[in-house]
Amino acid sequence: MADLRIPSVQHLARNWRGDSKTIARALVRLALNPPRFNYNPLYGAVRDMLVLGVPYDDVVKGIQKIKREKVRQNLLGVLPLIRDHFAGVSPDFFQAIDKRYYPVGRGLMVPFEPPMIYGVEGQLYFPWFSFWRQNPLSNERLSLFVTLVDEILMQDPDLETARFEVLDFSCRSPKQARELRVIDARDIPRLDDHRKTEMLECFAAGYFQALEELAGAPPPPPGGQKDDRAPDPNQPGLFD
């Protein structure tokens, strides 16, 4: 049986579709052809530059040690945008956040693990890094993600006043370079409880349908993808 990992909050939003059967098909495809690439080195790069004061050129040299060329070039395509965004930022503090879980329905608990928070002159910042090259969260899927994150943040008195920003590093078209679009979460419409529950129930139904389908499917070939393509999941891995 192919391994269908429980999606994180952002991957739930991205893989949401209008009916459970379409969600199930999307999740089955992902389980049978999982990505072999993540953006974890970029989180380390942010920490090194913001907290440790590591020079940008040294961070680049670290990324250049990655053996797979397409992976290396993908990371280097994002790194200058990260540098420019945080240029001049001197945080008073910087810390990782413990993983939390959000109940979707039918016993399905999806993980939510923010990469970091930091404070500058009394203002707490919560950046969410969206590294998808194409088809980033938008419209109702973005509203679903922001709505769920809001609920999670409001449960923690230390985070409820944080400025929540989505840092979208996608391309406008496949042939163009990445650009950084900073989305203030306050500008994203929230879903009402009825629509949120409806969407979550639909996703949960699709997830369990996918599990049933995969139970009778042959396992994927050892090692997954054999070529050197660099699939483009979000942080830190498709279902992390």
Side-chain angles (χ1 to χ4, degrees), residues 126 148 189 195 215:
F126 167 52
L148 299 185
R195 180 57 177 158

Side-chain angles (χ1 to χ4, degrees), residues 1-153:
M1 174 181 172
D3 182 22
L4 178 58
R5 298 173 65 186
I6 296 175
S8 57
V9 170
Q10 73 271 21
H11 293 103
L12 180 159
R14 196 183 195 220
N15 288 290
W16 188 88
R17 304 292 190 274
D19 65 88
S20 60
K21 291 183 179 179
T22 306
I23 292 171
R25 286 197 297 268
L27 295 178
V28 167
R29 285 195 301 268
L30 289 172
L32 294 177
N33 187 27
R36 304 295 178 186
F37 171 60
N38 65 56
Y39 288 93
N40 284 343
L42 293 180
Y43 296 115
V46 174
R47 182 196 63 242
D48 289 347
M49 289 187 288
L50 270 184
V51 181
L52 303 179
V54 176
Y56 176 75
D57 289 346
D58 290 346
V59 175
V60 170
K61 290 177 183 177
I63 298 294
Q64 288 175 334
K65 294 179 181 179
I66 295 174
K67 294 182 179 180
R68 290 177 60 193
E69 181 180 359
K70 289 188 176 180
V71 174
R72 185 172 66 249
Q73 293 304 319
N74 202 4
L75 297 177
L76 291 175
V78 178
L79 194 59
L81 300 174
I82 292 177
R83 174 200 60 195
D84 294 346
H85 178 69
F86 289 106
V89 175
S90 298
D92 301 321
F93 74 92
F94 178 105
Q95 68 182 59
I97 303 298
D98 293 336
K99 182 185 293 186
R100 292 153 167 79
Y101 291 87
Y102 189 95
V104 173
R106 297 179 58 180
L108 178 61
M109 302 286 289
V110 298
F112 176 71
E113 190 169 11
M116 67 190 72
I117 59 170
Y118 65 93
V120 177
E121 296 180 352
Q123 175 63 59
L124 184 64
Y125 289 87
F126 167 52
W128 187 267
F129 295 78
S130 177
F131 291 126
W132 284 303
R133 178 182 291 274
Q134 298 180 49
N135 303 317
L137 291 176
S138 61
N139 302 322
E140 196 171 36
R141 292 190 184 97
L142 181 56
S143 288
L144 176 61
F145 173 65
V146 171
T147 299
L148 299 185
V149 173
D150 253 1
E151 290 188 20
I152 296 171
L153 294 180

Side-chain angles (χ1 to χ4, degrees), residues 148-224:
L148 299 185
V149 173
D150 253 1
E151 290 188 20
I152 296 171
L153 294 180
M154 292 302 292
Q155 294 173 5
D156 189 331
D158 294 331
L159 300 179
E160 62 181 1
T161 60
R163 182 169 177 176
F164 174 22
E165 297 177 330
V166 177
L167 307 184
D168 176 4
F169 294 90
S170 61
C171 306
R172 293 184 181 272
S173 71
K175 294 183 179 180
Q176 291 183 324
R178 293 175 181 267
E179 299 178 9
L180 173 58
R181 183 167 65 111
V182 180
I183 304 171
D184 190 331
R186 294 174 295 185
D187 298 332
I188 305 304
R190 271 46 170 185
L191 301 176
D192 61 40
D193 285 342
H194 174 77
R195 180 57 177 158
K196 179 197 69 176
T197 300
E198 185 178 57
M199 293 177 72
L200 293 180
E201 289 177 348
C202 182
F203 185 88
Y207 174 82
F208 288 108
Q209 288 174 31
L211 282 181
E212 292 177 2
E213 183 173 342
L214 289 167

